């Protein structure tokens, strides 16, 4: 299938240096709110790229659950493929493709586990079904069938039928502490606006325009 004709012009208001907030987390918050208000479904979904020398690069979608001046937090299984890669190389990249707004945000940085207490705090807010689900998926492992998974779910539901579902030791959060954050706004004739914030040694952020 030849899809070389599959294209569109990116017509949107330009992104100007003087309109950017000096703090990239505030700039991200502003764009995140605009993405939510624009009705982008799962605006908190991002592609998470990991890498290690043995298995090479790998990528998947995860959900952003918290962000503040300390970084961007998501939750997952600590024995999953992504987690094994993060154990070997803490350098990761994230991408939010907010394409209906002709935007993307790219973040590169260092990924580290959050505390068990912080993971538990979030785990406790999850629907019970999701909590049980965390107990029965050895994420990224080969399994024989869907019924195997459903059987494990029934067993977990039975095991924890009274009281709250405890936090599995194999489940928790990671925080990505950014080294650089790029805001991309599509423009006509592929002359897109790109601004990259880079963390300086004194913890301030430089802002530079990149060629599209
Ligand atoms: C919209 C969407 C949201 C997802 N959110 C998460 C998430 O927050 N955490 C997670 O571990 N997996 C999430 N997944 C599943 C991952 O994409 C992936 O299949 C899983 O984490 C296993 O990845 P891995 O084998 O590379 O470790 C999500 C998938 C989609 C499509």
């Amino acid at each position: 299938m030849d899809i070389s004709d599959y294209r569109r012009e990116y017509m949107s208001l330009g992104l100007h240096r003087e309109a950017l907030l000096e703090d990239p987390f505030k700039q991200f918050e502003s764009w995140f709110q605009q993405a939510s208000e624009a009705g982008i479904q799962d605006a908190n979904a991002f592609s998470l790229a990991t890498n290690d020398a043995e298995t090479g690069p790998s990528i998947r979608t995860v959900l952003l659950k918290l962000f503040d001046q300390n970084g961007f937090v998501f939750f997952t299984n600590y024995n999953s493929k992504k987690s094994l890669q993060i154990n070997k190389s803490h350098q990761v990249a994230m991408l939010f493709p907010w394409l209906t707004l002709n935007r993307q945000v790219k973040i590169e940085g260092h990924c580290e586990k959050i505390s068990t207490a912080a993971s538990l705090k979030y785990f406790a807010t999850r629907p019970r079904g999701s909590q049980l689900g965390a107990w029965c998926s050895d994420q990224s492992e080969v399994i024989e069938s869907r019924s195997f998974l459903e059987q494990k779910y029934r067993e977990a539901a039975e095991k924890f039928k009274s009281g709250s579902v405890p936090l599995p030791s194999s489940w928790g959060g990671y925080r990505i502490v950014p080294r650089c954050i790029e805001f991309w706004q599509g423009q006509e004739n592929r002359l897109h606006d790109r601004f990259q914030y880079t963390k300086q040694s004194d913890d301030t952020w430089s802002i530079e325009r990149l060629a599209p």
Side-chain angles (χ1 to χ4, degrees):
M1 184 180 179
D2 181 354
I3 53 169
S4 56
D5 245 5
Y6 191 101
R7 63 166 68 90
R8 69 181 174 100
E9 272 296 345
Y10 295 98
M11 307 289 282
S12 36
L13 291 175
L15 186 60
H16 303 288
R17 170 65 185 85
E18 49 289 4
L20 289 174
L21 301 169
E22 296 303 313
D23 178 344
F25 297 104
K26 294 216 167 79
Q27 183 63 39
F28 181 85
E29 184 175 355
S30 163
W31 271 30
F32 181 77
Q33 274 168 359
Q34 288 168 26
S36 310
E37 283 158 21
I40 292 179
Q41 201 174 19
D42 302 326
N44 64 333
F46 66 93
S47 302
L48 171 73
T50 52
N51 191 19
D52 78 74
E54 278 160 50
T55 44
S58 186
I59 192 164
R60 77 289 291 158
T61 309
V62 292
L63 297 176
L64 181 68
K65 287 291 165 181
L66 183 98
F67 65 92
D68 58 20
Q69 295 289 327
N70 299 317
F72 300 85
V73 175
F74 69 94
F75 292 86
T76 194
N77 183 298
Y78 283 149
N79 299 324
S80 63
K81 178 171 180 176
K82 73 180 85 49
S83 297
L84 299 184
Q85 288 203 310
I86 292 166
N87 287 346
K88 290 191 199 157
S89 166
H90 293 276
Q91 301 308 316
V92 302
M94 322 162 57
L95 184 80
F96 292 87
W98 294 326
L99 304 185
T100 355
L101 292 175
N102 299 333
R103 286 177 174 175
Q104 66 174 351
V105 178
K106 188 177 87 173
I107 301 170
E108 294 167 359
H110 179 92
C111 189
E112 57 194 35
K113 276 184 187 170
I114 64 171
S115 69
T116 307
S119 292
L120 179 58
K121 190 173 170 199
Y122 171 68
F123 188 77
T125 69
R126 301 184 87 204
R128 192 175 177 84
S130 306
Q131 292 176 336
L132 290 171
W135 274 95
C136 46
S137 171
D138 293 330
Q139 197 176 55
S140 316
E141 293 295 320
V142 174
I143 53 170
E144 64 211 40
S145 64
R146 176 155 193 97
S147 55
F148 169 80
L149 205 54
E150 288 167 353
Q151 177 59 26
K152 287 194 76 170
Y153 186 88
R154 281 191 294 274
E155 285 167 13
E158 176 60 25
K159 187 171 176 188
F160 302 117
K161 67 180 173 209
S162 51
S164 54
V165 181
L167 174 73
S169 59
S170 59
W171 195 94
Y174 282 103
R175 173 177 289 105
I176 297 163
V177 181
R179 186 178 59 252
C180 53
I181 306 184
E182 181 201 323
F183 295 86
W184 186 101
Q185 178 78 65
Q187 294 291 297
E188 208 175 353
N189 301 321
R190 302 306 194 242
L191 300 181
H192 314 302
D193 288 324
R194 301 177 64 191
F195 285 98
Q196 179 171 268
Y197 292 69
T198 308
K199 194 164 193 179
Q200 306 298 295
S201 51
D202 63 356
D203 282 352
T204 59
W205 293 86
S206 66
I207 306 178
E208 292 160 308
R209 180 185 275 274
L210 303 181

